[in-house]
Amino acid sequence: MPTLASTIQQNHSPEFVAFTTINPLEHDMKKSSELVFDKNYFRFNALKLAQQGQYREAIALFNKLIDRDSNNAIDYNNRGSIYFRSGEKQKAFCDYNTALKLNPKLVGAYNNRANYYVVCGDLAAAIADYDRAIDLNPTYVRARINRGITLRDLGQYKEAIENFEIALLFGQLEAYIWAECGRTYHLWGNWNCALTAYNRAFILLSRIDPKKEVFSYRLHLQLESWLNELQIIFE
């Protein structure tokens, strides 16, 4: 059974689906009677609280939103992501399922449910959901990265590398992809290719401001750890 230690934390953590972007300053100039806007403002605050780690408060806001509109798939998906982050995995799973019943084309919910399956050790089910997300949105790079990591955890190294190579074509999250390529080559025993991929990831990371992208700092630490493992092999 794979563990989350085999992945970069950013990847197998749940994603929120954006509903809209609200400027809090603009909200003060709006009338509270504008119901649709109020819902969006609730969502904005709920997601902000979740990002700050205030999960209980964020869930409470989503509960109110769902009570007012029980047919909004995005709200279920986002509440599920907060449940997942807070450790309530079964509640997250139920919300993802509800979201997909309401909207079978919600790609983020497939990716998030797949992450749940990974944590539970059901990698076949995870691959199936990543595939659904990619079928619906071929440019969904995050799902492609997660799929590659899961293929690697299944020992399907060649397929994982092919998956990462396709993901690189979209020009997104390249540092993360090269890092996972390197890790895959590393575990596969192709150490020269692993070193090359790790170095590419380091170069790409050097162009990212860690103050603006916290995940780049975590990735840098992970890469250093993997590279140290590789250097021990070469010694």
Side-chain angles (χ1 to χ4, degrees):
M1 180 183 299
T3 66
L4 290 182
S6 67
T7 70
I8 296 172
Q9 184 176 354
Q10 178 213 13
N11 295 324
H12 277 159
S13 61
E15 284 191 284
F16 297 114
V17 175
F19 193 93
T20 188
T21 300
I22 299 297
N23 185 337
L25 295 178
E26 293 178 357
H27 178 260
D28 293 335
M29 297 183 287
K30 298 289 184 178
K31 295 180 180 179
S32 61
S33 60
E34 295 181 15
L35 183 60
V36 174
F37 188 89
D38 283 348
K39 286 183 179 180
N40 290 340
Y41 188 68
F42 260 71
R43 293 183 182 99
F44 174 87
N45 280 294
L47 294 177
K48 184 177 180 180
L49 287 167
Q51 295 292 354
Q52 295 171 345
Q54 299 182 54
Y55 301 128
R56 183 178 300 176
E57 294 83 353
I59 288 171
L61 287 181
F62 272 115
N63 288 344
K64 291 180 180 179
L65 284 164
I66 290 170
D67 285 343
R68 293 167 70 178
D69 181 4
S70 61
N71 293 313
N72 192 302
I74 292 177
D75 286 340
Y76 279 103
N77 175 75
N78 288 342
R79 188 178 70 174
S81 295
I82 300 170
Y83 277 134
F84 192 95
R85 290 188 178 190
S86 66
E88 297 186 80
K89 302 297 192 294
Q90 192 58 40
K91 288 183 179 180
F93 180 65
C94 291
D95 271 358
Y96 297 149
N97 285 337
T98 301
L100 289 169
K101 286 179 181 178
L102 292 169
N103 183 359
K105 294 185 179 181
L106 188 59
V107 293
Y110 283 115
N111 180 70
N112 288 338
R113 191 173 68 177
N115 293 341
Y116 165 86
Y117 285 133
V118 168
V119 171
C120 294
D122 192 347
L123 301 192
I127 291 292
D129 268 0
Y130 290 136
D131 285 345
R132 291 189 186 100
I134 293 168
D135 286 343
L136 288 167
N137 182 2
T139 66
Y140 192 6
V141 172
R142 190 66 58 81
R144 288 186 181 275
I145 294 174
N146 289 339
R147 183 178 185 273
I149 294 170
T150 307
L151 287 169
R152 181 178 71 212
D153 287 339
L154 285 166
Q156 299 177 28
Y157 300 116
K158 180 180 178 181
E159 293 83 354
I161 291 296
E162 291 173 350
N163 179 91
F164 292 134
E165 288 175 345
I166 293 172
L168 284 168
L169 297 175
F170 299 99
Q172 303 171 35
L173 301 173
E174 292 175 283
Y176 299 98
I177 298 170
W178 277 112
E180 295 296 356
C181 273
R183 186 58 175 173
T184 303
Y185 280 125
H186 188 161
L187 296 175
W188 198 4
N190 192 334
W191 299 323
N192 288 324
C193 285
L195 184 60
T196 298
Y198 286 156
N199 285 334
R200 287 200 182 190
F202 274 120
I203 291 171
L204 290 166
L205 277 177
S206 69
R207 303 170 185 170
I208 302 174
D209 184 352
K211 294 180 181 178
K212 296 181 180 179
E213 177 54 86
V214 65
F215 290 121
S216 68
Y217 176 71
R218 295 175 183 172
L219 177 60
H220 196 282
L221 292 178
Q222 181 66 82
L223 275 168
E224 287 182 341
S225 175
W226 289 343
L227 189 59
N228 287 337
E229 289 181 24
L230 197 59
Q231 288 174 338
I232 292 173
I233 293 173
F234 279 115
E235 290 177 354

